Amino acid sequence: MGAYKYIEELWKRKQSDVLRFLLRVRCWEFRQLPGIVRLTRPSRPDKARRMGFKAKQGYVVYRVRVRRGGRKKPVSKGIVYGKPVHQGVTQLKPTRNLRSVAEERVGRKCGGLRVLNSYWVNQDAVYKYFEVILVDPAHKAIRKDARINWIVNPVHKHRELRGLTSAGKKFRGLQGKGHLHTKARPSRRAVWRKNNSISLRRYR
């Protein structure tokens, strides 16, 4: 079993003594640092490589902290002036996942870089911590590499803001295929619009 496979199997057992101790110590360290921190290397090298990271110039890793919990409805005094069906204020969940939110925050901070992917590293009662892999589209090492230079194309600017990363596609319902997922493609809104608009053939 290779080193990366060994680390991968270790991370699958998060309830083991080794991982529980490691996560607890790291979580304490993460709490002392700012919300967005640049790292010299990923804390999960095996996971980072599976997400597309390479230990070469042009690749950057940031750790982000996102507050956990649902999304309370932002209404004054908790009053919703409308039908009873819409009167819920608490116990509401956001459409987007926290990993996607983490990607957005880093993407906004590092406007010149492109978000490639992200992964979970830790969590406590208040925060979830994610590491986000970014790529520098202006770097020669990236522009010359045929495996990654697709991200240099201008259409990939701020892909994290448009739901094009792995986390974004997950909350858009685009991970599944087949007849059970026809209402999610190309997007839920596009399918709704198609099903709710009448298009009649013109008589000429």
Side-chain angles (χ1 to χ4, degrees):
M1 195 161 66
Y4 285 122
K5 188 67 180 171
Y6 188 84
I7 298 169
E8 183 187 339
E9 291 299 319
L10 200 62
W11 271 92
K12 283 180 183 174
R13 294 162 174 78
K14 294 182 177 63
Q15 290 286 325
S16 65
D17 290 350
V18 177
L19 256 290
R20 282 174 65 184
F21 176 75
L22 185 70
L23 290 171
R24 194 168 79 240
V25 172
R26 277 187 180 170
C27 204
W28 176 86
E29 184 195 351
F30 296 169
R31 268 198 296 268
Q32 319 307 315
L33 298 168
I36 301 177
V37 191
R38 184 177 171 181
L39 311 177
T40 52
R41 60 176 66 88
S43 58
R44 294 179 66 180
D46 63 313
K47 184 72 170 176
R49 281 179 61 82
R50 276 181 283 143
M51 295 287 114
F53 175 79
K54 299 281 183 197
K56 59 187 270 186
Q57 291 177 321
Y59 285 86
V60 188
V61 181
Y62 273 81
R63 190 188 310 112
V64 202
R65 188 176 72 194
V66 183
R67 199 170 263 273
R68 294 177 65 180
R71 184 183 182 276
K72 189 178 173 184
K73 192 177 287 183
V75 286
S76 176
K77 299 179 185 174
I79 303 167
V80 181
Y81 296 99
K83 301 276 194 299
V85 70
H86 296 120
Q87 277 175 352
V89 174
T90 59
Q91 300 186 16
L92 302 175
K93 280 73 179 170
T95 308
R96 294 175 54 197
N97 51 47
L98 296 180
R99 187 155 73 94
S100 171
V101 174
E103 289 178 353
E104 179 191 337
R105 291 191 185 166
V106 183
R108 287 190 190 281
K109 187 177 176 69
C110 311
L113 303 178
R114 305 273 158 88
V115 174
L116 181 63
N117 220 324
S118 61
Y119 52 91
W120 177 94
V121 280
N122 215 320
Q123 67 186 49
D124 58 16
V126 185
Y127 297 108
K128 278 199 178 191
Y129 299 90
F130 300 95
E131 283 181 9
V132 183
I133 303 162
L134 299 108
V135 177
D136 183 0
H139 202 288
K140 282 281 195 296
I142 300 298
R143 298 177 82 91
K144 288 178 180 177
D145 187 350
R147 284 202 176 91
I148 193 66
N149 65 6
W150 55 268
I151 210 164
V152 173
N153 200 318
V155 298
H156 295 295
K157 288 180 181 178
H158 289 292
R159 39 202 303 274
E160 74 286 349
L161 298 178
R162 296 175 288 134
L164 302 178
T165 56
S166 175
K169 285 186 175 179
K170 186 174 183 181
F171 80 76
R172 287 168 62 202
L174 297 174
Q175 280 196 336
K177 292 180 180 178
H179 72 282
L180 296 171
H181 299 272
T182 49
K183 290 185 179 177
R185 281 191 171 75
S187 69
R188 291 193 190 107
R189 178 178 291 176
V191 172
W192 182 89
R193 193 190 301 124
K194 184 183 169 207
N195 293 341
N196 285 275
S197 56
I198 298 172
S199 178
L200 303 172
R201 291 177 65 83
R202 284 185 61 188
Y203 175 74
R204 287 185 174 86

